[in-house]
């Protein structure tokens, strides 16, 4: 059931500013943000494995059930936006912009989300970001309007031509590779078990694995990660998946925090996501910003809930058509300077030394 009726005026024409796949492949350098990634932002991600069912929510600090987002909440949303000098709109990909499908390669954002996001991304007072569990290169080929991409659950951050990779994730990428290769062999006999190697992390898919075989997949995956990953790697849950990644104190919420700190004072952050790894991002934007959980009825750190990617389009359309007009870019005197920094890809992460190494996208 669709709860929200936020659409008001028609959408503006989709913006330009699309980034080509060539540019994705032409990342030339990497900002070292080790200090920020390893010290400044402690993790809030769950680190324990739990069942990969569709509705698992994992531990959260805030056990309340998000309110279904309806027109009754518009005054509240307007009041929040009226205090903003800028908007940061962060979006998860799978289950948020794109409906969940059996084949991860077939996932695509809905046409309405593509149009609404293009319109929003064209607004000067808005910074859009995709914050995904997919690899940055992968998600960037699937949705190409946002200015910022955080891939592999925030372990890699792309901004203009710049790419930053969490240093510990870089160090442990070889281990992830070995684990993925091993799992491809070990899980080969299990029907429909699939390993997605994302370089900094890996994903074992069980969505179309016969239910009776899923515990075997979990056990084998756990065993391989323990044996070959040691203390360096961890397993995390997702929607019908097991995520393998470096056991570091960094998650989507940390990436959102880092992006937020680069934007003007009085930037209001909005985060929309559907899964357990999005909870740290909800915690990072709430309560001054707006967290919206897509699907499910479980407790969440998000204040609001919508049912589906179709409802996400309604939210983005409303933001583009009405919400953005409430933002006052002159509220913050530093606005002009900060945006100038933001548009310079080589200096986008303010305060981080420019110690770049070859990007993994080019390795
Ligand atoms: O953070 P996200 O952008 O939501 O990415 C999380 C994972 O999404 C993908 O898996 C999920 O979507 C697939 C396609 O709909 C679906 O088949 C799978 O069951 C879902 O878990 C992606 O394949 C993973 O790499 C991401 O980590």
């Amino acid at each position: 059931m669709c709860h929200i009726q936020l659409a008001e005026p028609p959408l503006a024409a989709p913006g330009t500013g699309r980034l080509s796949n060539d540019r994705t492949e032409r990342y030339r350098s990497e900002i070292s943000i080790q200090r920020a990634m390893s010290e400044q932002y402690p993790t809030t991600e769950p680190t324990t494995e739990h069942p990969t069912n569709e509705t698992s929510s994992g531990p959260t600090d805030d056990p309340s059930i998000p309110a279904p987002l309806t027109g009754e909440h518009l005054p509240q949303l307007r009041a929040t936006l009226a205090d903003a000098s800028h908007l940061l709109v962060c979006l998860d990909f799978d289950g948020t912009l794109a409906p969940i499908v059996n084949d991860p390669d077939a996932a695509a954002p809905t046409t309405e989300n593509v149009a609404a996001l293009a319109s929003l991304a064209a607004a000067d007072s808005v910074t859009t970001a995709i914050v995904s569990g997919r690899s940055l290169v992968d998600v960037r080929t699937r949705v190409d309007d946002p200015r910022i991409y955080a891939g592999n659950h925030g372990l890699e951050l792309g901004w203009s031509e710049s790419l930053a990779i969490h240093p510990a994730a870089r160090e442990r990428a070889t281990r992830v590779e070995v684990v993925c290769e091993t799992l491809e062999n070990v899980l080969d006999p299990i029907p429909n078990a699939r390993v997605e190697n994302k370089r900094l992390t890996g994903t074992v898919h069980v969505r179309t694995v016969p239910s009776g075989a899923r515990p075997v997949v979990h056990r084998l995956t756990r065993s391989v990660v323990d044996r070959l990953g040691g203390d360096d790697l961890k397993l995390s849950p997702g929607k019908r998946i097991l995520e393998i990644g470096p056991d570091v104190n960094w998650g989507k919420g940390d990436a959102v925090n880092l992006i937020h700190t680069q934007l003007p004072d009085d930037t209001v952050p909005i985060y929309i996501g559907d899964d357990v790894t999005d909870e740290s991002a909800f915690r990072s934007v709430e309560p001054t910003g707006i967290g919206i959980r897509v699907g499910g009825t479980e407790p969440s750190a998000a204040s609001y809930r919508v049912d589906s990617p179709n409802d996400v389009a309604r939210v983005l359309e409303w933001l583009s058509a009405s919400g953005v007009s409430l933002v006052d870019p002159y509220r913050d005197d530093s606005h002009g300077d900060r945006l100038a920094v933001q548009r310079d890809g080589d200096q986008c992460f303010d305060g981080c030394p420019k110690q770049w190494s070859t990007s993994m996208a080019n390795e």
Side-chain angles (χ1 to χ4, degrees), residues 220-241:
L220 291 172
T221 303
R222 172 91 266 169
S223 161
V224 169
V225 171
D226 284 350
R227 187 160 49 87
L228 300 178
D231 292 335
D232 283 351
L233 303 186
K234 69 179 177 186
L235 270 182
S236 308
K239 284 187 169 176
R240 309 276 189 217
I241 53 175

Side-chain angles (χ1 to χ4, degrees), residues 66-70 73 76-77 286 290-294 300 302-306:
L69 184 59
T70 69
H73 297 110
Q76 210 172 325
L77 296 182
E286 297 272 5
I290 300 165
I292 302 174
R293 173 111 182 192
V294 185
S300 168
S303 290
Y304 302 107
R305 177 172 71 79
V306 298

Side-chain angles (χ1 to χ4, degrees), residues 92-95 99-104 107 131-134 153 196 198 203 205 207 238-241 243 252 274-275 277-278:
D92 170 59
F93 182 75
D94 292 279
I100 294 290
V101 291
N102 285 342
D103 178 3
V131 184
S132 176
R134 288 179 182 261
H153 301 286
E196 183 185 354
K198 302 181 287 187
T203 300
H205 289 266
R207 180 166 295 276
K239 284 187 169 176
R240 309 276 189 217
I241 53 175
E243 300 270 22
K252 285 186 171 186
D274 74 314
D275 205 352
T277 59
D278 298 308

